[in-house]
Amino acid sequence: MPSIITHAAVPLALWCAADRGRIPPRLLAAGVIASMLPDADVLAFALHIPYADAFGHRGASHSLVFAGVLAALAAVLAFFGSRRPWSAGLCQPRLASTVQAATFVFVCAASHPLLDAMTSGGLGVALAWPWSEHRFFAPWRPIRVSPFAPQFFSARGLATLLSELRWVWLPLVGAVVAWKLIQPAPAAPRDPS
């Protein structure tokens, strides 16, 4: 897996690329949590669930169904959660903010197994669970797999962070900068006089 920190790179990049206020802080927080949540399955080790089991590490919680469940939860919270459900302004229709919340959370959650599939180790990710327990790898796997907690602050952990910087953070920063450069300049406000 990339380190837990690197999974937050995707929602942060989307937030940076969006127009100011388009992704409100609560939705950004939900996206960061959704991008990291699949790794809660490391609790399976403490429960003696084998790594290769459907509920082991990189199993069911790394599926597109899991991302869909998180997206549905975000949609329900956005629709029923508050007077201004995760919207940037009062004028944003409730349905639009619900779709935005669901889409953003789905993309953030789905980015987790896709990044994991690009790592140099592990057993792959169960993207198609529950229909298949097959573990998938990306055809190109440049990201060093992160060591677990006890070894994270070691030479191997540092090498992993440098790999993540090269293959995840820098490309995302480049994409955000490029996106901002090609966006049209905002229209200047008109003088009413």
Side-chain angles (χ1 to χ4, degrees), residues 98-110:
T98 301
V99 170
Q100 176 189 1
T103 303
F104 183 72
V105 168
F106 179 82
V107 168
C108 294

Side-chain angles (χ1 to χ4, degrees), residues 9 22 52 64 70 83 132 145 161 166 176:
R22 176 80 176 158
L64 295 178
L70 292 180
R83 190 172 64 84
S132 171
V145 70
L161 290 175
R166 178 180 181 192
V176 168

Side-chain angles (χ1 to χ4, degrees), residues 25-71:
R26 285 177 46 186
L27 183 54
L28 174 60
V32 168
I33 290 167
S35 72
M36 295 177 174
L37 192 58
D39 274 343
D41 67 4
V42 297
L43 294 174
F45 293 124
L47 299 172
H48 304 290
I49 297 171
Y51 189 148
D53 190 85
F55 294 99
H57 186 51
R58 291 186 172 184
S61 68
H62 285 61
S63 68
L64 295 178
V65 167
F66 184 77
V69 167
L70 292 180

